[in-house]
Amino acid sequence: MLRYFTSLSLLMFLFAGWAQEETIDLQPKDTVVHKQTYGLRVGVDLSRIILTQTSDDYKGLEIVADYRLNQKLYIAGEMGTEDKTTQEDLYNFTTSGSYIKLGVDYNTYENWYGMNNSIFIGGRFALSSFSQTLNNFDYYDTSRYWNPDAFPNGSSEAQEFDGLNASWLEFIFGLKAELFTNLYLGGSLRIAFLTNNKESEDFPNLFIPGFNKVTDDSKFGIGYNYSITYMIPLYKKANKRKKEKPELEQGPERPEKPNDGPRN
């Protein structure tokens, strides 16, 4: 019996000594590795498809795509075609051509684990090659005596101006939300600035595919798109941890000086 109590006491003594040597970490580090999906996201602009189906004066298609480089940065681009007929007061014209845009998007949104939504800003360099056809026109006449209700007839013979091109820069603000696994709905607002605009001497470029309407004495344009895209998963990659700021070491506290009271 005595041997039993002696062995038990020795065991408890060794266990207590081992427990005192073990330190308790009050701030344990998260050792779980969180991985995010990387891949190619491809889709179409819904606004151009809807406009093609609802308007007799417009046909267009735009393909959008992006590829994720890291947690925040994407290579992105768009390419498409547009065929638009415009009726103005004095003339009717048709613009037909294609365009391509290349650039980057930067996601400013901090996702929770498992989420892949984005609120992004981005930039593009764009090129467009197109032609314009002046379908008909009327003469502008300040004297309306002989034609009070209309301008004098000009010509209804179509004139085509080809070999036209333009380039511009775009600043983009947009968002993408994951509806279902790997399926995204997005939208963006685009502010463009023309850097080059080759036009005919006889008829100006009033509409540029991919750029939108061109206004007089201005190089700025505004566009938009509403996209639906699908991500083709290629691989998964662990998130980079943010570096924690080191805590400042506190020095030894200085002893307080005794208060001797006011001196005479």
Side-chain angles (χ1 to χ4, degrees):
M1 190 72 175
L2 180 61
R3 182 182 302 175
Y4 171 76
F5 282 110
T6 302
S7 301
L8 182 60
S9 300
L10 181 60
L11 182 61
M12 293 178 64
F13 177 78
L14 292 176
F15 179 77
W18 174 79
Q20 290 178 359
E21 291 179 357
E22 291 292 326
T23 58
I24 300 175
D25 190 358
L26 298 179
Q27 294 181 345
K29 295 182 179 180
D30 184 9
T31 57
V32 179
V33 178
H34 300 295
K35 293 186 177 182
Q36 291 183 334
T37 303
Y38 284 67
L40 178 65
R41 187 160 45 189
V42 183
V44 294
D45 177 15
L46 293 175
S47 64
R48 285 171 169 78
I49 294 177
I50 294 173
L51 194 57
T52 298
Q53 299 297 322
T54 58
S55 175
D56 295 331
D57 298 328
Y58 180 86
K59 292 180 181 179
L61 176 65
E62 180 177 280
I63 298 173
V64 301
D66 62 47
Y67 180 80
R68 190 176 189 177
L69 295 177
N70 55 38
Q71 288 178 237
K72 297 290 187 179
L73 192 62
Y74 295 76
I75 295 177
E78 299 83 24
M79 62 182 301
T81 62
E82 286 188 304
D83 190 309
K84 179 178 175 59
T85 299
T86 305
Q87 177 64 56
E88 299 290 350
D89 292 335
L90 295 174
Y91 49 85
N92 178 287
F93 69 97
T94 300
T95 305
S96 180
S98 58
Y99 59 91
I100 185 170
K101 305 176 184 182
L102 295 174
V104 295
D105 290 336
Y106 181 82
N107 183 16
T108 63
Y109 182 71
E110 292 290 342
N111 281 292
W112 293 355
Y113 177 68
M115 296 176 60
N116 291 304
N117 302 324
S118 63
I119 299 175
F120 63 89
I121 57 175
R124 301 284 190 277
F125 176 71
L127 294 170
S128 179
S129 177
F130 56 98
S131 65
Q132 294 200 109
T133 302
L134 181 59
N135 301 314
N136 58 69
F137 67 91
D138 295 330
Y139 292 109
Y140 179 77
D141 189 1
T142 56
S143 175
R144 307 296 295 276
Y145 181 79
W146 299 106
N147 297 281
D149 298 328
F151 290 104
N153 292 332
S155 174
S156 58
E157 183 178 352
Q159 302 179 46
E160 185 176 358
F161 310 96
D162 55 7
L164 310 176
N165 60 73
S167 61
W168 63 94
L169 300 174
E170 282 186 356
F171 173 77
I172 303 172
F173 175 79
L175 56 88
K176 287 187 175 74
E178 189 173 19
L179 300 179
F180 305 101
T181 303
N182 298 330
L183 184 66
Y184 296 82
L185 183 66
S188 67
L189 175 67
R190 296 155 181 264
I191 301 175
F193 178 78
L194 271 175
T195 57
N196 177 62
N197 185 19
K198 180 183 177 181
E199 55 188 5
S200 171
E201 296 179 357
D202 299 323
F203 191 71
N205 295 337
L206 301 177
F207 181 87
I208 298 174
F211 180 87
N212 215 335
K213 184 179 180 180
V214 181
T215 56
D216 294 337
D217 301 325
S218 176
K219 292 187 176 182
F220 287 94
I222 296 179
Y224 63 91
N225 76 349
Y226 299 100
S227 63
I228 184 165
T229 55
Y230 180 80
M231 175 183 280
I232 304 171
L234 299 179
Y235 62 95
K236 288 189 176 183
K237 185 178 179 181
N239 295 347
K240 289 185 178 180
R241 295 180 179 272
K242 293 183 179 180
K243 294 182 179 180
E244 298 180 357
K245 295 182 180 180
E247 297 182 358
L248 297 177
E249 296 182 358
Q250 297 181 353
E253 296 182 358
R254 296 181 179 179
E256 296 182 359
K257 295 182 178 180
N259 187 4
D260 296 336
R263 295 181 181 180
N264 293 329

